[in-house]
Amino acid sequence: MSGIKILGYGLSQGDKIVSNSDLEKIIDTSDSWIREKTGIERRFFSVEKNNLDMAEEAAKRAVENSDVKVCDIDLILVCTFTPDYATPSVACGVAGRLNLGKGVMCMDINAACSGFVYGLNIAKAMLESKASKCVLLIGSEKISPLLNMEDRSSCILFGDGAGALILGADEEGLFESSSGVLYDDEILFCDRSNPKVSMRGQEVYRFAVNKVPEIIREVMAKGGCSAEDVDRFVFHQANLRIIDSAAAKLKIPENKIYKNVQNYGNTSGASIGICMAEMMEKGLLKAGMKVVCCGFGAGLTYGATFFTVGE
Ligand code: UT7
């Protein structure tokens, strides 16, 4: 059995705060509608910074607040569906900006809003197999240029940002995962020929409120625990109503759930990374705690992990 240790954490946001009232000025919407339907109050759009700039900022902050030397990092994973280039990857760019080269493996993971959960799985597998000793796992998204600002049902939802964790192996730790895909390219997609996010919101909503509790129950059963035993639940931040519905079905007390969708909107593959970095900063993720993370989104992908935070 082997788990993960969190050795460092870092955050970055888009450079422009966009409130619901700002959106009221350009589309037919209202602050009250957005808050009531999603819980979102504002989001960051990145005007000056590209995806790599945010990933680099989060990565450098993670290194700064850890005891890890940059040269210890031997795997860089960036969870993103919005890389600046088809190739090279954002992960290669981060390696370049950290002056890393020989002995480092770099790759982007595109699993949309399940990205960070899939990234945790890959990091853990690489650490457990000893193929890696120190993983820099980043979720970074610049979604704003891909928004159709004439589609009020989708453009109000998303934002830009990055969250990074530096992970090491915890020989004594627990780590379980469950995941899946229900292939669909019509409900939620972004086509290269017309690169704008397109979504049938109600169908995604129904998928999420059904799959999230199911996959969390499954991963908790693998970990031999119930919601009572888990200290922290970290959901992909898409919509407060989805989180609250899952919490009600699983009978999770409010104080175990971390929410920041109010401030960021939906940052897709970055959202769980941003949550975890903020939780570390606030002292909400401590060694020995049992944590469940759950992501869901385009693909349609879904996944959950259960792990203990290593010493
Ligand atoms: O990471 C995963 C990605 N996505 C998600 O998790 C999204 C999941 N889905 C949702 O969160 C919800 O479906 C939305 C928040 C996107 C929409 O909420 P809804 O309750 O499903 O609204 P709806 O699409 O059924 O629309 C209800 C009404 C419609 O008006 P009429 O036809 O009833 O007159 C829409 O035109 O709300 C209208 N509407 C808006 N009104 C004001 C849709 N968007 C807006 C808006 N402002 N931004």
Side-chain angles (χ1 to χ4, degrees), residues 27-31 33-34 37-38 112-114 151-158 188 197 199-208 236-242 266-268 296-298:
I27 48 166
D28 178 16
T29 190
S30 65
D31 176 48
W33 190 95
I34 300 173
K37 291 283 189 178
T38 71
C113 306
S114 304
D151 175 10
R152 64 179 182 169
S153 66
S154 64
C155 72
I156 50 114
L157 297 173
F158 296 92
L188 179 51
V197 172
M199 186 179 71
R200 301 211 294 252
Q202 287 195 353
E203 286 170 68
V204 179
Y205 189 90
R206 273 197 295 276
F207 155 72
H236 165 50
Q237 304 288 302
N239 184 321
L240 274 192
R241 288 193 298 150
I242 295 175
N266 179 346
T267 57
S268 192
F296 55 89

Side-chain angles (χ1 to χ4, degrees), residues 51-306:
N51 186 320
L52 174 56
D53 296 327
M54 292 185 283
E56 176 194 4
E57 248 171 44
K60 287 189 169 163
R61 287 175 186 154
V63 172
E64 273 160 29
N65 73 31
S66 74
D67 294 329
V68 169
K69 292 195 209 86
V70 175
C71 60
D72 294 336
I73 295 166
D74 56 12
L75 173 62
I76 302 176
L77 300 171
V78 178
C79 313
T80 188
F81 84 97
T82 58
D84 301 313
Y85 300 105
T87 192
S89 65
V90 182
C92 286
V94 172
R97 297 211 181 163
L98 294 179
N99 292 316
L100 286 170
K102 193 166 164 40
V104 182
M105 204 188 288
C106 303
M107 67 189 96
D108 289 358
I109 299 167
N110 178 351
C113 306
S114 304
F116 207 84
V117 169
Y118 287 16
L120 283 167
N121 273 292
I122 295 167
K124 180 261 178 183
M126 292 293 280
L127 291 164
E128 186 174 31
S129 70
K130 303 205 185 326
S132 290
K133 289 201 178 67
C134 183
V135 181
L136 174 57
L137 175 64
I138 306 169
S140 184
E141 300 279 15
K142 180 165 172 167
I143 307 171
S144 54
L146 303 177
L147 296 176
N148 174 358
M149 295 310 287
E150 285 169 12
D151 175 10
R152 64 179 182 169
S153 66
S154 64
C155 72
I156 50 114
L157 297 173
F158 296 92
D160 303 332
L165 298 179
I166 301 178
L167 301 172
D170 173 26
E171 307 286 331
E172 310 302 318
L174 303 174
F175 191 108
E176 298 290 346
S177 77
S178 287
S179 55
V181 60
L182 288 169
Y183 176 64
D184 187 291
D185 63 358
E186 290 177 358
I187 294 178
L188 179 51
F189 65 93
C190 183
D191 185 344
R192 272 192 199 278
S193 62
N194 173 29
K196 297 290 170 196
V197 172
S198 176
M199 186 179 71
R200 301 211 294 252
Q202 287 195 353
E203 286 170 68
V204 179
Y205 189 90
R206 273 197 295 276
F207 155 72
V209 294
N210 287 321
K211 273 294 167 207
V212 169
E214 179 187 313
I215 198 79
I216 291 181
R217 275 196 195 101
E218 194 178 302
V219 84
M220 289 194 306
K222 284 186 183 175
C225 69
S226 67
E228 276 180 22
D229 308 316
V230 175
D231 300 293
R232 298 279 181 249
F233 287 84
V234 192
F235 294 89
H236 165 50
Q237 304 288 302
N239 184 321
L240 274 192
R241 288 193 298 150
I242 295 175
I243 299 174
D244 292 344
S245 154
K249 284 186 184 168
L250 296 164
K251 300 193 171 53
I252 305 171
E254 184 71 21
N255 63 352
K256 292 188 177 186
I257 303 172
Y258 192 72
K259 301 174 189 174
N260 65 12
V261 69
Q262 309 89 302
N263 300 327
Y264 287 91
N266 179 346
T267 57
S268 192
S271 82
I272 290 177
I274 292 173
C275 283
M276 289 182 70
E278 277 193 354
M279 291 166 80
M280 289 295 292
E281 200 165 63
K282 294 178 181 171
L284 295 173
L285 276 185
K286 297 203 178 89
M289 279 186 166
K290 295 189 175 80
V291 180
V292 167
C293 292
C294 182
F296 55 89
L300 298 167
T301 55
Y302 56 95
T305 52
F306 161 80

